[in-house]
Amino acid sequence: MTLTTTGCNEILDEQPRGIYTPEDFTTERGISQGVTSLYRQLRLLYGNGYWLNANMTGTDEATWGQSADGNFKDLDMTGGTGSINSNTFPTSMVWGSVFPSINTANGIIQNGSGAGIAESLISEARFFRSFYYFLLVQTYGGVPLDLGSGELAFNIDPKTTSVRNTVTEVYTKVIFPDLVKAIDNLPVNPRVKGGVTKNVARLYLAKAYLTYGWWLQNPNSIPTYPETSRTDPDGHNPQWYFQKAYDNAMDAINNPGQYALQPTYYDVNRGDNDRNSECMLYADHTETSAYFNEGVIQASYGDGWSPNNFASWMLTWNYTNLKSSTSPTTWTAASSVQRAAFQSLGRPWVRMAPTIEVIKNTFADKTNDSRYDGTFTTVYRGNWHKDGTGLTNVTTLYNANNLPIQANDPVLTF
């Protein structure tokens, strides 16, 4: 018996179709898709309820709510209910999220001009690199500028260690220069709906100047890490940076482009008024495609993680505990306000709550300050007649003192 074998002398030439490789960042297609991914990164933080918690719980605006777990109580740190330590999750969200996007921006900036990409598009990457570094430096102090291949260089060699730069270096080596160049090269009007513009960059440069000036001042004697002197390498004092913040803000105010204030505070956050003229940068979602939304599009069925948009539920109290009676003579409890996918109701997660000072002091003038009505639901109306409640055919319920109410009547006002 004769056995004959055949072989191939050529090395397999891989041409990946379903994955990205470093070579993508040398092509126009790869760089354009990389820019798109920088916008997509916004969804991994903004809209996530735990990111809202990381920014608000424990401040003057919010405390932990009735159904809060340790993720929320740790951030509050009051009354001995929790404490921040190395295992605290919400404080790690930025660190664990944005470095891949920073490296993507590094690749776009490093290779863009060689691939024939216009500086206006490269400057979108400059904006996002500075934006994510700004989040990092505000949260942790100094952070690494070298991801493995040199400072601000595109890295394709994964590393498990890093060296943190100082706060001063993060601001002066990347945040300020990236935003200044972005202002010079970004368009006045966005390239795409929601795209970054000169004025978006001006907004964040003004914020960065203010924040860095305050860091130089350090009025509350807060430690910084890594330890470094609070001396500006260019010899500027805090007032110089505060003036630069003012100048940049005035440039934007005097040249607003497509941006404008909405008629009222309420209009800014109205659910059917998304992408309005007062919104300059947003983590976009769609209600028409689960694929492009990267998750369910029915808000009430969100799985509680990015990229779903569920942050607003964190401060929603359990209004379904409101009870009325089906009988005018004997208390027979029924939930007169049912869950509904309306902005004024929504899913009650009860993880966070406004502080009492918000109610008493921030909105002290509840008659004339329209922000109060634009922030809180102050009237809860009966909707027990919805399908599936068991009360669909009940026309009348009874509140305190046997006061009869019909569907859509107020059940609670305050």
Side-chain angles (χ1 to χ4, degrees):
M1 181 176 68
T2 302
L3 180 65
T4 303
T5 61
T6 61
C8 178
N9 293 324
E10 295 184 4
I11 297 174
L12 178 64
D13 180 20
E14 290 187 88
Q15 296 184 12
R17 305 294 185 185
I19 61 173
Y20 288 106
T21 66
E23 288 71 30
D24 280 296
F25 286 100
T26 63
T27 68
E28 181 179 0
R29 184 204 68 161
I31 289 175
S32 296
Q33 291 175 338
V35 171
T36 300
S37 77
L38 298 178
Y39 287 91
R40 183 260 179 182
Q41 169 66 37
L42 293 171
R43 292 182 181 178
L44 301 186
L45 291 174
Y46 298 94
N48 186 313
Y50 296 96
W51 176 236
L52 181 74
N53 167 46
N55 285 272
M56 286 183 61
T57 304
T59 70
D60 294 340
E61 297 180 38
T63 184
W64 56 274
Q66 181 268 331
S67 297
D69 59 17
N71 287 310
F72 299 84
K73 293 180 179 179
D74 283 348
L75 269 292
D76 195 274
M77 297 192 300
T78 56
T81 58
S83 62
I84 295 177
N85 56 54
S86 60
N87 295 316
T88 304
F89 163 68
T91 54
S92 71
M93 289 187 70
V94 184
W95 190 282
S97 174
V98 303
F99 280 111
S101 288
I102 288 173
N103 195 45
T104 295
N106 288 344
I108 295 167
I109 295 165
Q110 182 173 305
N111 299 321
S113 60
I117 302 298
E119 177 55 44
S120 57
L121 189 62
I122 298 172
S123 283
E124 293 187 32
R126 296 187 195 279
F127 169 83
F128 279 109
R129 183 168 70 176
S130 64
F131 178 86
Y132 293 127
Y133 266 120
F134 189 37
L135 289 181
L136 286 165
V137 76
Q138 291 176 94
T139 307
Y140 307 107
V143 292
L145 301 184
D146 181 354
L147 304 186
S149 295
E151 287 191 355
L152 305 180
F154 180 49
N155 183 49
I156 60 174
D157 183 18
K159 296 289 193 299
T160 57
T161 60
S162 62
V163 177
R164 292 169 69 159
N165 291 77
T166 64
V167 168
T168 305
E169 290 172 328
V170 175
Y171 276 105
T172 60
K173 288 187 175 184
V174 58
I175 295 175
F176 295 153
D178 271 3
L179 287 172
V180 168
K181 189 154 188 175
I183 290 170
D184 289 340
N185 292 284
L186 286 171
V188 172
N189 295 311
R191 173 180 60 88
V192 293
K193 185 70 174 179
V196 293
T197 62
K198 290 183 183 294
N199 275 348
V200 175
R202 285 182 177 126
L203 167 66
Y204 279 91
L205 183 57
K207 289 166 67 75
Y209 281 147
L210 283 174
T211 307
Y212 180 63
W214 177 88
W215 181 85
L216 289 174
Q217 273 189 331
N218 195 23
N220 298 321
S221 300
I222 299 172
T224 191
Y225 187 85
E227 290 187 12
T228 185
S229 65
R230 295 182 186 252
T231 303
D232 182 64
D234 295 321
H236 302 308
N237 60 22
Q239 287 67 35
W240 187 89
Y241 282 100
F242 296 150
Q243 183 63 49
K244 292 290 287 183
Y246 174 84
D247 293 342
N248 271 274
M250 290 305 300
D251 283 344
I253 291 170
N254 293 329
N255 302 278
Q258 67 167 8
Y259 307 110
L261 296 177
Q262 290 289 290
T264 69
Y265 174 88
Y266 173 80
D267 288 319
V268 178
N269 300 302
R270 209 178 70 234
D272 61 353
N273 195 33
D274 280 347
R275 309 174 183 89
N276 62 65
S277 61
E278 201 166 330
C279 295
M280 299 182 69
L281 182 66
Y282 45 84
D284 212 358
H285 288 265
T286 177
E287 294 180 314
T288 60
S289 167
Y291 177 81
F292 287 108
N293 199 52
E294 296 186 277
V296 295
I297 57 178
Q298 299 88 358
S300 60
Y301 296 106
D303 60 8
W305 195 245
S306 302
N308 284 321
N309 184 13
F310 64 99
S312 62
W313 299 335
M314 297 294 104
L315 284 115
T316 304
W317 69 287
N318 199 0
Y319 56 85
T320 60
N321 283 339
L322 290 172
K323 303 296 182 183
S324 303
S325 177
T326 57
S327 168
T329 56
T330 304
W331 178 254
T332 307
S335 294
S336 45
V337 183
Q338 303 277 337
R339 277 177 55 169
F342 297 123
Q343 188 171 2
S344 57
L345 296 176
R347 182 173 178 176
W349 275 27
V350 207
R351 299 300 196 272
M352 298 165 63
T355 62
I356 190 63
E357 287 78 12
V358 167
I359 307 298
K360 291 170 57 178
N361 301 330
T362 305
F363 298 111
D365 185 356
K366 297 176 180 59
T367 302
N368 297 309
D369 190 343
S370 64
R371 297 175 304 159
Y372 179 74
D373 285 332
T375 300
F376 297 100
T377 299
T378 56
V379 180
Y380 289 84
R381 298 182 178 275
N383 63 350
W384 65 84
H385 58 298
K386 292 174 57 178
D387 290 341
T389 64
L391 301 169
T392 305
N393 297 320
V394 176
T395 58
T396 303
L397 292 180
Y398 300 89
N399 271 0
N401 301 317
N402 294 326
L403 176 70
I405 57 170
Q406 278 73 48
N408 298 316
D409 281 348
V411 175
L412 173 68
T413 62
F414 62 92

